Amino acid sequence: RQMCIRDRKNTIIKIVRIGLRIHSLFHLLEFISALYEEAYITATIAFIAMFLELLASFLIPKEHIHLKPLISDVHESCDKE
């Protein structure tokens, strides 16, 4: 049985979410290491990166997205009214 496009998209979104969360764990290790080394600027950068990736993993939209270079269009569907 072939997966429909929606199922594939949902699978990819799940993989991206998991990837972001795993990557944020590496930033946590980097943050702890930087604190241990008293590298506070590096620790701050690692913490911000970790926070943003965790936030993104929970806020990945379920809407339809048109990717553009700077700001993407996000809406529920492409149906024109």
Side-chain angles (χ1 to χ4, degrees), residues 1-79:
R1 184 189 117 142
Q2 287 188 347
M3 293 176 77
C4 70
I5 293 174
R6 183 169 296 197
D7 289 339
R8 287 182 187 172
K9 181 180 174 184
N10 288 337
T11 301
I12 291 171
I13 288 173
K14 286 179 186 177
I15 291 170
V16 169
R17 283 187 173 138
I18 291 169
L20 284 169
R21 291 174 188 168
I22 291 171
H23 191 199
S24 68
L25 289 176
F26 287 110
H27 283 298
L28 175 63
L29 294 174
E30 179 185 15
F31 172 72
I32 292 169
S33 175
L35 287 178
Y36 177 76
E37 296 172 353
E38 297 179 0
Y40 300 115
I41 294 173
T42 302
T44 302
I45 293 168
F47 181 81
I48 291 169
M50 176 185 65
F51 177 76
L52 290 175
E53 286 189 11
L54 278 174
L55 189 63
S57 75
F58 287 102
L59 296 178
I60 291 175
K62 295 180 182 177
E63 293 92 2
H64 185 81
I65 301 173
H66 292 276
L67 296 177
K68 294 189 176 181
L70 296 176
I71 299 175
S72 299
D73 292 335
V74 179
H75 51 272
E76 295 202 17
S77 69
C78 282
D79 299 334

